[in-house]
Amino acid sequence: MAETLANELLKVLVKKMTDEAFKRVARAHGIYNELKELKQTLSRIQDLLQDASQKEVTHKSVKEWLNALQHLAYDIDDVLDDVATEAMRRELTLQQEPAASTSMVRKLIPSCCTNFSLTHRLSPKLDSINRELENLEKRKTDLGLLKIDEKPKHTSRRNETSLPDGSSVIGREVEKERLLKKLLGDDGSTKENFSIVPIVGMGGVGKTTLARILYNHTKVQSHFELHVWICVSDDFDVFKISKTMFQDVSNENKNFENLNQLHMALTNQLKNKRFLLVLDDVWHENENDWENLVRPFHSCAPGSRIIMTTRKEELLKNLHFGHLDSLKSLSHEDALSLFALHALGVENFNSHTTLKPYGEGIVKKCAGLPLALKAIGRLLGTRTNVEDWEDVLNSEIWNLENSDKIVPALRLSYHDLSADLKQLFAYCSLFPKDYLFDKEELVLLWMAEGFLSPSNATKSPERLGHDYFEILLSRSFFQHAPNDESLFIMHDHACCRRTFFKV
Protein backbone atom coordinates (compact mmCIF):
# COMPACT_ATOMS: atom_id res chain seq x y z
CA MET A 1 0.00 0.00 0.00
CA ALA A 2 1.14 3.58 -0.70
CA GLU A 3 0.72 4.52 2.95
CA THR A 4 3.15 1.80 4.07
CA LEU A 5 5.88 2.93 1.67
CA ALA A 6 5.34 6.64 2.43
CA ASN A 7 5.44 6.00 6.17
CA GLU A 8 8.70 4.05 5.96
CA LEU A 9 10.28 6.71 3.74
CA LEU A 10 9.36 9.49 6.16
CA LYS A 11 10.79 7.51 9.07
CA VAL A 12 14.11 7.19 7.24
CA LEU A 13 14.18 10.91 6.36
CA VAL A 14 13.45 12.06 9.90
CA LYS A 15 16.10 9.69 11.25
CA LYS A 16 18.72 11.09 8.86
CA MET A 17 18.05 14.64 10.06
CA THR A 18 18.65 13.73 13.71
CA ASP A 19 22.31 12.77 13.09
CA GLU A 20 24.68 15.19 14.85
CA ALA A 21 27.28 15.27 12.05
CA PHE A 22 24.42 15.98 9.64
CA LYS A 23 23.28 18.93 11.78
CA ARG A 24 26.80 20.39 11.93
CA VAL A 25 27.09 20.42 8.14
CA ALA A 26 23.62 21.94 7.80
CA ARG A 27 24.62 24.78 10.16
CA ALA A 28 27.94 25.31 8.39
CA HIS A 29 26.22 25.69 5.03
CA GLY A 30 23.42 27.90 6.29
CA ILE A 31 20.58 25.47 5.52
CA TYR A 32 19.85 24.33 9.07
CA ASN A 33 16.66 26.38 9.40
CA GLU A 34 15.26 25.06 6.11
CA LEU A 35 15.98 21.48 7.19
CA LYS A 36 14.48 22.13 10.62
CA GLU A 37 11.30 23.42 8.98
CA LEU A 38 11.30 20.38 6.69
CA LYS A 39 11.57 17.99 9.63
CA GLN A 40 8.71 19.67 11.49
CA THR A 41 6.43 19.49 8.45
CA LEU A 42 7.31 15.83 7.86
CA SER A 43 6.46 15.03 11.48
CA ARG A 44 3.04 16.69 11.14
CA ILE A 45 2.36 14.77 7.93
CA GLN A 46 3.40 11.51 9.60
CA ASP A 47 0.56 12.09 12.09
CA LEU A 48 -1.92 11.97 9.18
CA LEU A 49 -0.76 8.66 7.71
CA GLN A 50 -2.76 6.43 10.06
CA ASP A 51 -5.98 8.09 8.84
CA ALA A 52 -4.75 8.09 5.23
CA SER A 53 -4.12 4.33 5.39
CA GLN A 54 -7.81 3.77 6.18
CA LYS A 55 -9.10 6.15 3.51
CA GLU A 56 -6.81 5.42 0.56
CA VAL A 57 -8.74 2.24 -0.29
CA THR A 58 -12.06 3.99 -0.88
CA HIS A 59 -10.89 7.54 -1.69
CA LYS A 60 -8.95 7.95 -4.92
CA SER A 61 -7.89 11.49 -3.97
CA VAL A 62 -6.19 10.21 -0.79
CA LYS A 63 -4.37 7.56 -2.83
CA GLU A 64 -3.12 10.29 -5.20
CA TRP A 65 -2.05 12.44 -2.22
CA LEU A 66 -0.01 9.54 -0.83
CA ASN A 67 1.61 8.94 -4.21
CA ALA A 68 2.57 12.62 -4.46
CA LEU A 69 4.02 12.46 -0.94
CA GLN A 70 5.99 9.35 -1.88
CA HIS A 71 7.53 11.03 -4.96
CA LEU A 72 8.40 14.13 -2.95
CA ALA A 73 10.02 11.93 -0.28
CA TYR A 74 12.43 10.62 -2.91
CA ASP A 75 13.39 14.22 -3.83
CA ILE A 76 13.96 14.98 -0.15
CA ASP A 77 16.11 11.87 0.18
CA ASP A 78 18.33 13.07 -2.68
CA VAL A 79 18.93 16.40 -0.90
CA LEU A 80 19.63 14.73 2.41
CA ASP A 81 22.10 12.37 0.73
CA ASP A 82 24.05 15.39 -0.52
CA VAL A 83 24.24 16.75 3.03
CA ALA A 84 25.15 13.34 4.46
CA THR A 85 27.91 12.94 1.86
CA GLU A 86 29.35 16.33 2.83
CA ALA A 87 29.18 15.32 6.51
CA MET A 88 31.13 12.17 5.73
CA ARG A 89 33.71 14.14 3.73
CA ARG A 90 34.22 16.57 6.61
CA GLU A 91 34.67 13.72 9.09
CA LEU A 92 37.32 12.10 6.88
CA THR A 93 39.09 15.45 6.43
CA LEU A 94 39.28 15.94 10.18
CA GLN A 95 40.73 12.44 10.62
CA GLN A 96 43.36 13.07 7.93
CA GLU A 97 44.31 16.68 8.77
CA PRO A 98 47.25 17.64 6.46
CA ALA A 99 50.47 19.38 7.36
CA ALA A 100 50.56 22.83 8.93
CA SER A 101 51.25 24.55 5.60
CA THR A 102 48.07 23.14 4.10
CA SER A 103 46.15 24.21 7.17
CA MET A 104 47.48 27.73 6.73
CA VAL A 105 46.29 27.75 3.10
CA ARG A 106 42.86 26.53 4.25
CA LYS A 107 42.65 29.43 6.72
CA LEU A 108 43.39 31.93 3.94
CA ILE A 109 40.27 30.77 2.01
CA PRO A 110 37.09 32.36 3.39
CA SER A 111 34.60 29.80 4.67
CA CYS A 112 31.90 31.42 2.57
CA CYS A 113 33.75 30.24 -0.55
CA THR A 114 34.01 26.60 0.54
CA ASN A 115 30.38 26.55 1.66
CA PHE A 116 29.00 28.34 -1.40
CA SER A 117 28.78 25.40 -3.80
CA LEU A 118 26.62 23.14 -1.60
CA THR A 119 24.52 26.02 -0.30
CA HIS A 120 23.95 27.32 -3.82
CA ARG A 121 22.78 23.91 -5.02
CA LEU A 122 20.61 22.87 -2.10
CA SER A 123 19.00 26.06 -0.82
CA PRO A 124 16.67 26.54 -3.84
CA LYS A 125 15.80 22.83 -3.81
CA LEU A 126 14.90 22.97 -0.12
CA ASP A 127 12.74 26.07 -0.62
CA SER A 128 10.86 24.32 -3.44
CA ILE A 129 10.45 21.10 -1.43
CA ASN A 130 9.19 22.96 1.63
CA ARG A 131 6.58 24.76 -0.49
CA GLU A 132 5.38 21.50 -2.04
CA LEU A 133 5.28 19.78 1.33
CA GLU A 134 3.31 22.64 2.87
CA ASN A 135 0.83 22.45 -0.02
CA LEU A 136 0.37 18.74 0.63
CA GLU A 137 -0.19 19.43 4.31
CA LYS A 138 -2.77 22.13 3.52
CA ARG A 139 -4.79 19.61 1.48
CA LYS A 140 -5.50 17.61 4.63
CA THR A 141 -8.68 19.61 5.26
CA ASP A 142 -10.12 18.97 1.79
CA LEU A 143 -9.21 15.28 2.08
CA GLY A 144 -10.63 14.99 5.58
CA LEU A 145 -7.34 13.70 7.02
CA LEU A 146 -7.01 13.89 10.78
CA LYS A 147 -4.35 13.14 13.34
CA ILE A 148 -5.55 9.99 15.03
CA ASP A 149 -3.89 7.72 17.49
CA GLU A 150 -3.88 4.01 16.72
CA LYS A 151 -6.52 2.29 18.81
CA PRO A 152 -5.14 0.24 21.63
CA LYS A 153 -5.55 -3.45 20.97
CA HIS A 154 -7.57 -5.01 23.76
CA THR A 155 -5.95 -8.39 24.02
CA SER A 156 -7.55 -11.48 25.39
CA ARG A 157 -5.79 -14.42 27.02
CA ARG A 158 -6.22 -16.61 23.96
CA ASN A 159 -3.16 -17.53 21.97
CA GLU A 160 -3.64 -16.47 18.34
CA THR A 161 -1.92 -19.60 17.04
CA SER A 162 -3.50 -22.11 19.41
CA LEU A 163 -5.88 -23.54 16.82
CA PRO A 164 -4.36 -26.37 14.76
CA ASP A 165 -5.44 -26.49 11.11
CA GLY A 166 -7.67 -29.51 11.49
CA SER A 167 -9.66 -28.18 14.43
CA SER A 168 -10.87 -25.13 12.52
CA VAL A 169 -12.58 -27.05 9.69
CA ILE A 170 -16.33 -26.72 10.15
CA GLY A 171 -19.17 -27.66 7.82
CA ARG A 172 -17.25 -29.88 5.41
CA GLU A 173 -18.06 -33.36 6.74
CA VAL A 174 -20.42 -34.22 3.86
CA GLU A 175 -17.93 -33.10 1.22
CA LYS A 176 -15.08 -34.90 2.98
CA GLU A 177 -16.93 -38.24 3.13
CA ARG A 178 -18.06 -37.96 -0.49
CA LEU A 179 -14.51 -37.29 -1.71
CA LEU A 180 -13.01 -40.02 0.50
CA LYS A 181 -15.27 -42.55 -1.22
CA LYS A 182 -14.02 -41.35 -4.60
CA LEU A 183 -10.40 -41.64 -3.48
CA LEU A 184 -10.64 -45.04 -1.83
CA GLY A 185 -13.43 -46.71 -3.82
CA ASP A 186 -13.44 -48.46 -7.17
CA ASP A 187 -13.97 -45.99 -10.00
CA GLY A 188 -15.66 -48.09 -12.64
CA SER A 189 -16.36 -45.06 -14.85
CA THR A 190 -12.84 -44.95 -16.31
CA LYS A 191 -10.75 -47.42 -18.27
CA GLU A 192 -7.53 -45.79 -17.11
CA ASN A 193 -5.50 -46.87 -14.08
CA PHE A 194 -5.90 -43.35 -12.65
CA SER A 195 -8.78 -40.91 -12.33
CA ILE A 196 -9.25 -37.26 -11.40
CA VAL A 197 -11.02 -36.16 -8.24
CA PRO A 198 -11.77 -32.46 -8.81
CA ILE A 199 -12.40 -29.86 -6.10
CA VAL A 200 -13.85 -26.83 -7.86
CA GLY A 201 -14.90 -23.55 -6.30
CA MET A 202 -14.32 -19.81 -6.00
CA GLY A 203 -11.29 -18.29 -4.26
CA GLY A 204 -11.30 -18.53 -0.48
CA VAL A 205 -13.95 -21.23 -0.31
CA GLY A 206 -11.53 -23.77 1.18
CA LYS A 207 -10.44 -25.99 -1.71
CA THR A 208 -6.82 -26.36 -0.57
CA THR A 209 -7.86 -26.88 3.06
CA LEU A 210 -10.20 -29.71 2.07
CA ALA A 211 -7.53 -31.25 -0.18
CA ARG A 212 -5.04 -31.13 2.69
CA ILE A 213 -7.50 -32.92 5.01
CA LEU A 214 -7.96 -35.67 2.42
CA TYR A 215 -4.23 -35.92 1.67
CA ASN A 216 -3.32 -36.33 5.36
CA HIS A 217 -6.21 -38.67 6.23
CA THR A 218 -4.96 -41.89 7.82
CA LYS A 219 -6.88 -44.13 5.41
CA VAL A 220 -5.60 -42.19 2.41
CA GLN A 221 -1.99 -42.31 3.58
CA SER A 222 -2.12 -46.10 4.00
CA HIS A 223 -4.11 -46.71 0.78
CA PHE A 224 -1.59 -45.17 -1.63
CA GLU A 225 2.06 -46.18 -1.99
CA LEU A 226 3.22 -42.83 -3.34
CA HIS A 227 2.06 -39.35 -2.28
CA VAL A 228 2.91 -36.11 -4.11
CA TRP A 229 1.63 -32.55 -3.60
CA ILE A 230 2.43 -29.89 -6.23
CA CYS A 231 1.36 -26.23 -6.18
CA VAL A 232 0.70 -25.40 -9.83
CA SER A 233 -0.88 -21.90 -9.92
CA ASP A 234 -0.80 -20.11 -13.28
CA ASP A 235 2.51 -21.67 -14.38
CA PHE A 236 1.47 -24.99 -15.91
CA ASP A 237 4.94 -26.10 -16.97
CA VAL A 238 4.77 -29.80 -17.88
CA PHE A 239 8.52 -30.33 -17.51
CA LYS A 240 8.65 -28.56 -14.13
CA ILE A 241 5.63 -30.44 -12.73
CA SER A 242 6.94 -33.78 -13.99
CA LYS A 243 10.39 -33.16 -12.53
CA THR A 244 8.93 -32.21 -9.15
CA MET A 245 6.91 -35.42 -9.14
CA PHE A 246 9.96 -37.50 -10.12
CA GLN A 247 12.04 -35.98 -7.32
CA ASP A 248 9.30 -36.66 -4.76
CA VAL A 249 8.73 -40.31 -5.67
CA SER A 250 12.40 -41.22 -6.27
CA ASN A 251 14.18 -38.98 -3.73
CA GLU A 252 16.68 -38.26 -6.51
CA ASN A 253 17.69 -34.94 -8.07
CA LYS A 254 18.69 -35.91 -11.60
CA ASN A 255 19.07 -33.60 -14.59
CA PHE A 256 17.23 -34.48 -17.80
CA GLU A 257 18.00 -33.17 -21.27
CA ASN A 258 14.41 -33.25 -22.45
CA LEU A 259 10.84 -34.13 -21.47
CA ASN A 260 11.02 -37.55 -23.10
CA GLN A 261 13.93 -38.67 -20.89
CA LEU A 262 12.17 -37.30 -17.81
CA HIS A 263 8.93 -39.09 -18.63
CA MET A 264 10.70 -42.40 -19.20
CA ALA A 265 12.29 -42.13 -15.76
CA LEU A 266 8.98 -41.13 -14.15
CA THR A 267 7.19 -44.00 -15.90
CA ASN A 268 9.60 -46.47 -14.29
CA GLN A 269 9.06 -44.92 -10.85
CA LEU A 270 5.25 -45.15 -11.15
CA LYS A 271 5.12 -48.61 -12.71
CA ASN A 272 2.64 -50.89 -10.93
CA LYS A 273 2.39 -48.49 -7.97
CA ARG A 274 -0.77 -46.83 -6.72
CA PHE A 275 -0.11 -43.11 -6.33
CA LEU A 276 -1.94 -40.03 -5.09
CA LEU A 277 -1.07 -36.73 -6.74
CA VAL A 278 -2.49 -33.37 -5.64
CA LEU A 279 -2.33 -30.60 -8.23
CA ASP A 280 -3.26 -27.53 -6.21
CA ASP A 281 -4.58 -24.28 -7.69
CA VAL A 282 -4.70 -25.20 -11.40
CA TRP A 283 -5.58 -22.31 -13.74
CA HIS A 284 -4.47 -23.83 -17.05
CA GLU A 285 -7.12 -24.92 -19.55
CA ASN A 286 -5.07 -26.44 -22.41
CA GLU A 287 -6.07 -30.05 -22.98
CA ASN A 288 -2.91 -30.89 -24.97
CA ASP A 289 -0.66 -29.88 -22.08
CA TRP A 290 -2.70 -32.09 -19.79
CA GLU A 291 -2.30 -35.07 -22.11
CA ASN A 292 1.48 -34.53 -22.14
CA LEU A 293 1.59 -34.35 -18.36
CA VAL A 294 -0.26 -37.63 -17.72
CA ARG A 295 1.62 -39.82 -20.24
CA PRO A 296 3.80 -41.48 -17.56
CA PHE A 297 0.75 -42.13 -15.35
CA HIS A 298 -0.54 -44.94 -17.55
CA SER A 299 2.05 -47.32 -16.09
CA CYS A 300 0.71 -46.94 -12.54
CA ALA A 301 -1.38 -49.47 -10.61
CA PRO A 302 -5.18 -49.27 -10.87
CA GLY A 303 -6.86 -47.04 -8.30
CA SER A 304 -4.38 -44.16 -8.55
CA ARG A 305 -5.91 -40.74 -8.07
CA ILE A 306 -5.24 -37.10 -8.96
CA ILE A 307 -6.87 -34.47 -6.73
CA MET A 308 -7.16 -31.23 -8.68
CA THR A 309 -8.16 -27.98 -6.96
CA THR A 310 -9.20 -25.25 -9.36
CA ARG A 311 -11.51 -22.33 -9.97
CA LYS A 312 -11.60 -23.12 -13.68
CA GLU A 313 -14.09 -25.65 -15.02
CA GLU A 314 -13.09 -25.50 -18.69
CA LEU A 315 -10.24 -28.05 -18.52
CA LEU A 316 -12.39 -30.52 -16.61
CA LYS A 317 -15.20 -30.13 -19.13
CA ASN A 318 -12.70 -30.78 -21.93
CA LEU A 319 -11.74 -33.96 -20.07
CA HIS A 320 -15.40 -35.01 -20.25
CA PHE A 321 -16.49 -34.17 -16.72
CA GLY A 322 -20.16 -33.58 -17.42
CA HIS A 323 -21.40 -32.63 -13.96
CA LEU A 324 -19.11 -30.93 -11.46
CA ASP A 325 -19.97 -30.62 -7.77
CA SER A 326 -18.59 -27.20 -6.92
CA LEU A 327 -17.55 -26.57 -3.35
CA LYS A 328 -20.19 -24.24 -1.98
CA SER A 329 -19.90 -21.46 0.59
CA LEU A 330 -20.63 -22.46 4.18
CA SER A 331 -24.17 -22.28 5.49
CA HIS A 332 -24.92 -19.32 7.77
CA GLU A 333 -24.89 -21.57 10.85
CA ASP A 334 -21.55 -23.18 9.98
CA ALA A 335 -20.07 -19.83 8.99
CA LEU A 336 -21.14 -18.31 12.32
CA SER A 337 -19.56 -21.22 14.20
CA LEU A 338 -16.27 -20.92 12.28
CA PHE A 339 -16.16 -17.17 12.82
CA ALA A 340 -16.89 -17.53 16.56
CA LEU A 341 -14.18 -20.18 16.87
CA HIS A 342 -11.50 -17.83 15.53
CA ALA A 343 -12.82 -14.66 17.15
CA LEU A 344 -13.84 -16.03 20.56
CA GLY A 345 -12.25 -19.46 20.88
CA VAL A 346 -15.65 -21.18 21.05
CA GLU A 347 -18.13 -22.25 18.38
CA ASN A 348 -21.04 -20.05 19.49
CA PHE A 349 -21.98 -16.70 21.00
CA ASN A 350 -23.69 -18.08 24.12
CA SER A 351 -21.26 -16.28 26.42
CA HIS A 352 -21.00 -13.17 24.24
CA THR A 353 -24.57 -12.19 23.48
CA THR A 354 -23.77 -8.48 23.06
CA LEU A 355 -21.35 -9.29 20.23
CA LYS A 356 -23.65 -11.71 18.40
CA PRO A 357 -25.60 -9.12 16.31
CA TYR A 358 -22.32 -7.66 15.02
CA GLY A 359 -20.92 -11.14 14.46
CA GLU A 360 -23.94 -12.14 12.40
CA GLY A 361 -23.60 -9.01 10.29
CA ILE A 362 -19.90 -9.63 9.66
CA VAL A 363 -20.54 -13.28 8.77
CA LYS A 364 -23.13 -12.19 6.21
CA LYS A 365 -20.60 -9.83 4.61
CA CYS A 366 -18.03 -12.67 4.43
CA ALA A 367 -20.44 -14.55 2.14
CA GLY A 368 -19.72 -17.92 3.77
CA LEU A 369 -16.07 -17.98 2.61
CA PRO A 370 -13.86 -19.74 5.20
CA LEU A 371 -10.78 -17.66 4.39
CA ALA A 372 -12.68 -14.42 4.97
CA LEU A 373 -14.25 -15.74 8.17
CA LYS A 374 -10.87 -16.83 9.55
CA ALA A 375 -9.15 -13.57 8.60
CA ILE A 376 -11.76 -11.33 10.24
CA GLY A 377 -12.23 -13.71 13.16
CA ARG A 378 -8.52 -13.62 13.95
CA LEU A 379 -8.49 -9.84 13.49
CA LEU A 380 -11.15 -9.56 16.21
CA GLY A 381 -9.66 -12.37 18.29
CA THR A 382 -7.70 -9.82 20.31
CA ARG A 383 -10.62 -7.36 20.66
CA THR A 384 -13.21 -7.62 23.37
CA ASN A 385 -15.29 -4.44 23.11
CA VAL A 386 -18.38 -3.79 21.05
CA GLU A 387 -16.93 -0.66 19.41
CA ASP A 388 -14.21 -2.64 17.61
CA TRP A 389 -16.73 -5.13 16.24
CA GLU A 390 -19.01 -2.31 15.15
CA ASP A 391 -16.11 -0.56 13.35
CA VAL A 392 -15.35 -3.72 11.36
CA LEU A 393 -19.01 -4.29 10.49
CA ASN A 394 -19.49 -0.71 9.27
CA SER A 395 -16.13 -0.33 7.49
CA GLU A 396 -16.30 1.27 4.04
CA ILE A 397 -13.93 -1.41 2.76
CA TRP A 398 -16.87 -3.83 2.49
CA ASN A 399 -18.26 -1.54 -0.24
CA LEU A 400 -15.29 -2.01 -2.56
CA GLU A 401 -16.35 -2.91 -6.08
CA ASN A 402 -14.64 -6.22 -6.74
CA SER A 403 -15.84 -9.45 -8.27
CA ASP A 404 -13.88 -11.44 -5.69
CA LYS A 405 -15.74 -11.42 -2.38
CA ILE A 406 -12.62 -12.32 -0.40
CA VAL A 407 -10.89 -8.99 -1.12
CA PRO A 408 -12.61 -6.77 1.50
CA ALA A 409 -11.90 -9.23 4.32
CA LEU A 410 -8.21 -9.45 3.40
CA ARG A 411 -7.96 -5.68 3.15
CA LEU A 412 -9.53 -5.24 6.57
CA SER A 413 -7.11 -7.74 8.07
CA TYR A 414 -4.18 -5.99 6.38
CA HIS A 415 -5.22 -2.52 7.53
CA ASP A 416 -5.39 -3.73 11.11
CA LEU A 417 -1.68 -4.63 11.04
CA SER A 418 0.82 -2.30 12.67
CA ALA A 419 3.18 -0.31 10.40
CA ASP A 420 6.01 -2.73 11.24
CA LEU A 421 3.95 -5.77 10.25
CA LYS A 422 2.81 -4.11 7.03
CA GLN A 423 6.45 -3.52 6.15
CA LEU A 424 7.35 -7.17 6.81
CA PHE A 425 4.40 -8.39 4.74
CA ALA A 426 5.32 -6.00 1.90
CA TYR A 427 8.82 -7.49 1.89
CA CYS A 428 7.42 -11.03 1.65
CA SER A 429 5.18 -10.03 -1.25
CA LEU A 430 8.34 -9.98 -3.38
CA PHE A 431 8.50 -13.79 -3.15
CA PRO A 432 7.29 -15.68 -6.24
CA LYS A 433 3.86 -17.27 -5.92
CA ASP A 434 3.98 -20.57 -3.99
CA TYR A 435 7.59 -19.90 -2.94
CA LEU A 436 8.52 -22.10 0.03
CA PHE A 437 10.35 -20.37 2.87
CA ASP A 438 11.73 -21.32 6.26
CA LYS A 439 10.71 -19.37 9.37
CA GLU A 440 14.23 -18.98 10.76
CA GLU A 441 15.66 -17.91 7.40
CA LEU A 442 12.91 -15.32 6.91
CA VAL A 443 13.53 -13.81 10.35
CA LEU A 444 17.24 -13.53 9.48
CA LEU A 445 16.33 -11.78 6.21
CA TRP A 446 14.13 -9.32 8.13
CA MET A 447 17.01 -8.67 10.52
CA ALA A 448 19.46 -8.12 7.65
CA GLU A 449 17.12 -5.51 6.16
CA GLY A 450 17.01 -3.68 9.48
CA PHE A 451 13.27 -4.25 9.98
CA LEU A 452 13.54 -5.62 13.51
CA SER A 453 14.45 -2.89 15.98
CA PRO A 454 12.69 -3.72 19.24
CA SER A 455 11.62 -0.76 21.38
CA ASN A 456 11.63 -3.15 24.33
CA ALA A 457 15.28 -3.73 25.22
CA THR A 458 14.41 -7.01 26.93
CA LYS A 459 13.29 -8.57 23.62
CA SER A 460 15.94 -9.58 21.08
CA PRO A 461 15.45 -8.94 17.32
CA GLU A 462 15.14 -12.72 16.78
CA ARG A 463 12.39 -13.01 19.37
CA LEU A 464 10.58 -10.01 17.91
CA GLY A 465 10.84 -11.55 14.43
CA HIS A 466 9.37 -14.82 15.69
CA ASP A 467 6.49 -12.95 17.34
CA TYR A 468 5.77 -11.02 14.13
CA PHE A 469 5.92 -14.21 12.08
CA GLU A 470 3.33 -15.89 14.31
CA ILE A 471 0.97 -12.92 13.94
CA LEU A 472 1.17 -13.05 10.13
CA LEU A 473 0.66 -16.81 10.28
CA SER A 474 -2.36 -16.50 12.56
CA ARG A 475 -3.93 -13.89 10.25
CA SER A 476 -3.72 -16.26 7.25
CA PHE A 477 -1.11 -14.18 5.39
CA PHE A 478 1.24 -17.15 5.77
CA GLN A 479 0.27 -20.81 5.85
CA HIS A 480 2.07 -24.11 6.33
CA ALA A 481 3.23 -25.74 3.12
CA PRO A 482 0.67 -28.47 2.34
CA ASN A 483 3.21 -31.28 2.06
CA ASP A 484 5.87 -30.02 4.51
CA GLU A 485 4.77 -28.58 7.85
CA SER A 486 8.30 -27.26 8.49
CA LEU A 487 8.04 -24.79 5.59
CA PHE A 488 5.63 -21.98 4.77
CA ILE A 489 4.13 -20.18 1.78
CA MET A 490 2.21 -16.98 1.21
CA HIS A 491 -1.49 -17.77 1.10
CA ASP A 492 -2.42 -19.31 -2.25
CA HIS A 493 -5.30 -16.90 -2.85
CA ALA A 494 -4.24 -15.44 -6.19
CA CYS A 495 -5.48 -11.89 -5.56
CA CYS A 496 -3.75 -11.57 -2.21
CA ARG A 497 -0.73 -9.49 -3.17
CA ARG A 498 -2.56 -7.57 -5.90
CA THR A 499 -5.12 -6.68 -3.25
CA PHE A 500 -2.57 -4.92 -1.05
CA PHE A 501 -0.04 -3.47 -3.45
CA LYS A 502 -1.83 -2.76 -6.75
CA VAL A 503 -4.84 -0.65 -5.90
Side-chain angles (χ1 to χ4, degrees):
M1 300 294 280
E3 171 270 332
T4 303
L5 184 52
N7 191 33
E8 292 308 316
L9 283 170
L10 296 197
K11 282 183 182 178
V12 171
L13 299 180
V14 171
K15 185 176 180 180
K16 281 185 179 181
M17 287 185 278
T18 59
D19 181 73
E20 288 303 319
F22 184 96
K23 290 179 182 178
R24 286 195 295 271
V25 171
R27 288 191 183 97
H29 289 275
I31 55 175
Y32 179 76
N33 288 334
E34 289 96 327
L35 287 172
K36 184 178 179 182
E37 179 186 349
L38 175 64
K39 182 182 175 184
Q40 291 171 344
T41 309
L42 286 175
S43 296
R44 291 195 298 272
I45 287 179
Q46 271 187 300
D47 292 337
L48 304 175
L49 293 183
Q50 177 69 18
D51 194 26
S53 72
Q54 299 173 11
K55 292 177 177 174
E56 68 165 314
V57 179
T58 53
H59 295 74
K60 185 179 178 182
S61 55
V62 175
K63 174 72 174 176
E64 292 171 348
W65 181 85
L66 284 167
N67 285 335
L69 176 62
Q70 180 182 318
H71 290 305
L72 187 57
Y74 287 126
D75 293 338
I76 297 170
D77 196 35
D78 288 341
V79 171
L80 299 188
D81 278 345
D82 280 346
V83 179
T85 301
E86 175 62 15
M88 187 181 299
R89 188 193 68 77
R90 284 168 63 93
E91 292 293 323
L92 290 172
T93 302
L94 290 173
Q95 293 173 13
Q96 303 170 358
E97 188 64 40
S101 59
T102 308
S103 298
M104 289 298 295
V105 173
R106 184 185 300 277
K107 290 177 181 177
L108 293 174
I109 303 174
S111 60
C112 63
C113 296
T114 58
N115 293 343
F116 177 75
S117 178
L118 188 68
T119 305
H120 180 71
R121 283 190 297 110
L122 297 188
S123 194
K125 287 184 181 180
L126 280 170
D127 288 340
S128 174
I129 286 170
N130 274 324
R131 283 195 301 271
E132 287 186 56
L133 203 57
E134 286 171 3
N135 288 334
L136 283 175
E137 186 187 10
K138 288 176 182 177
R139 289 185 60 199
K140 69 180 183 181
T141 303
D142 294 336
L143 297 172
L145 296 178
L146 303 170
K147 176 183 177 179
I148 58 174
D149 295 322
E150 192 170 350
K151 287 185 178 181
K153 313 272 199 231
H154 299 281
T155 59
S156 69
R157 294 180 179 273
R158 293 191 307 279
N159 184 329
E160 284 192 284
T161 60
S162 63
L163 291 172
D165 290 341
S167 70
S168 60
V169 178
I170 292 175
R172 294 301 188 203
E173 282 301 316
V174 173
E175 292 89 344
K176 185 183 79 171
E177 293 302 321
R178 174 172 56 82
L179 291 170
L180 274 176
K181 289 180 180 178
K182 289 187 176 182
L183 288 174
L184 305 176
D186 180 25
D187 187 1
S189 62
T190 178
K191 297 179 181 178
E192 303 289 351
N193 289 345
F194 64 92
S195 61
I196 303 170
V197 179
I199 303 178
V200 184
M202 70 175 76
V205 79
K207 301 181 296 295
T208 300
T209 300
L210 183 55
R212 186 186 292 113
I213 292 170
L214 297 169
Y215 184 84
N216 291 323
H217 197 283
T218 306
K219 290 183 179 179
V220 172
Q221 286 290 311
S222 61
H223 184 75
F224 297 97
E225 295 175 69
L226 303 174
H227 311 81
V228 182
W229 183 297
I230 301 175
C231 296
V232 180
S233 299
D234 47 6
D235 181 22
F236 196 93
D237 185 323
V238 175
F239 190 94
K240 181 179 176 182
I241 296 171
S242 299
K243 187 174 182 181
T244 300
M245 189 171 183
F246 173 82
Q247 289 172 339
D248 279 4
V249 298
S250 68
N251 291 317
E252 297 179 20
N253 190 16
K254 289 184 177 180
N255 290 321
F256 298 94
E257 293 183 5
N258 53 55
L259 183 62
N260 185 56
Q261 283 187 2
L262 171 56
H263 274 185
M264 289 178 63
L266 183 55
T267 297
N268 289 331
Q269 290 293 329
L270 299 179
K271 191 172 183 179
N272 298 324
K273 293 179 181 177
R274 187 160 54 200
F275 73 84
L276 172 65
L277 169 65
V278 177
L279 295 175
D280 186 33
D281 197 23
V282 176
W283 288 75
H284 202 62
E285 297 179 346
N286 188 302
E287 188 177 356
N288 290 330
D289 286 342
W290 175 261
E291 293 298 334
N292 282 332
L293 176 67
V294 300
R295 289 187 195 280
F297 300 173
H298 297 285
S299 68
C300 67
S304 295
R305 298 286 185 266
I306 303 171
I307 297 177
M308 182 195 296
T309 72
T310 182
R311 304 184 201 185
K312 302 286 188 177
E313 297 185 3
E314 194 61 33
L315 175 60
L316 292 166
K317 288 179 179 178
N318 290 339
L319 298 176
H320 311 296
F321 277 83
H323 175 72
L324 291 170
D325 293 321
S326 294
L327 194 61
K328 306 298 182 185
S329 301
L330 294 177
S331 68
H332 181 74
E333 291 75 17
D334 288 335
L336 194 63
S337 294
L338 182 63
F339 176 73
L341 181 63
H342 287 279
L344 304 172
V346 291
E347 293 186 15
N348 56 62
F349 283 83
N350 293 347
S351 301
H352 304 82
T353 54
T354 57
L355 296 176
K356 187 174 182 180
Y358 303 100
E360 288 182 328
I362 292 169
V363 165
K364 186 176 180 180
K365 289 180 182 289
C366 288
L369 297 177
L371 177 57
L373 294 161
K374 291 177 184 178
I376 301 300
R378 288 167 178 172
L379 183 160
L380 291 169
T382 56
R383 313 293 177 83
T384 56
N385 58 37
V386 169
E387 289 78 11
D388 288 328
W389 287 55
E390 187 176 14
D391 286 347
V392 170
L393 175 61
N394 297 326
S395 172
E396 292 183 6
I397 292 178
W398 293 113
N399 300 323
L400 281 173
E401 290 185 10
N402 195 296
S403 59
D404 202 323
K405 295 180 181 180
I406 195 65
V407 169
L410 292 177
R411 279 192 184 274
L412 276 165
S413 189
Y414 172 81
H415 275 282
D416 184 67
L417 297 176
S418 67
D420 290 340
L421 282 166
K422 286 178 181 177
Q423 182 186 43
L424 298 180
F425 177 67
Y427 176 80
C428 295
S429 73
L430 299 174
F431 295 157
K433 195 167 187 291
D434 295 324
Y435 174 77
L436 295 174
F437 55 89
D438 175 79
K439 177 180 178 179
E440 300 299 329
E441 289 180 0
L442 180 58
V443 170
L444 289 175
L445 287 173
W446 286 341
M447 289 174 60
E449 294 291 342
F451 295 152
L452 303 177
S453 300
S455 56
N456 183 353
T458 62
K459 185 174 286 190
S460 67
E462 293 95 332
R463 173 65 185 278
L464 184 64
H466 289 162
D467 290 348
Y468 282 159
F469 188 98
E470 291 299 330
I471 293 173
L472 292 172
L473 178 62
S474 73
R475 294 290 189 88
S476 297
F477 292 114
F478 298 161
Q479 67 177 19
H480 287 281
N483 57 336
D484 188 346
E485 287 289 310
S486 67
L487 298 175
F488 300 85
I489 59 173
M490 299 281 279
H491 198 280
D492 65 354
H493 191 265
C495 77
C496 189
R497 276 159 284 181
R498 294 199 302 271
T499 297
F500 307 126
F501 306 112
K502 296 183 182 179
V503 179

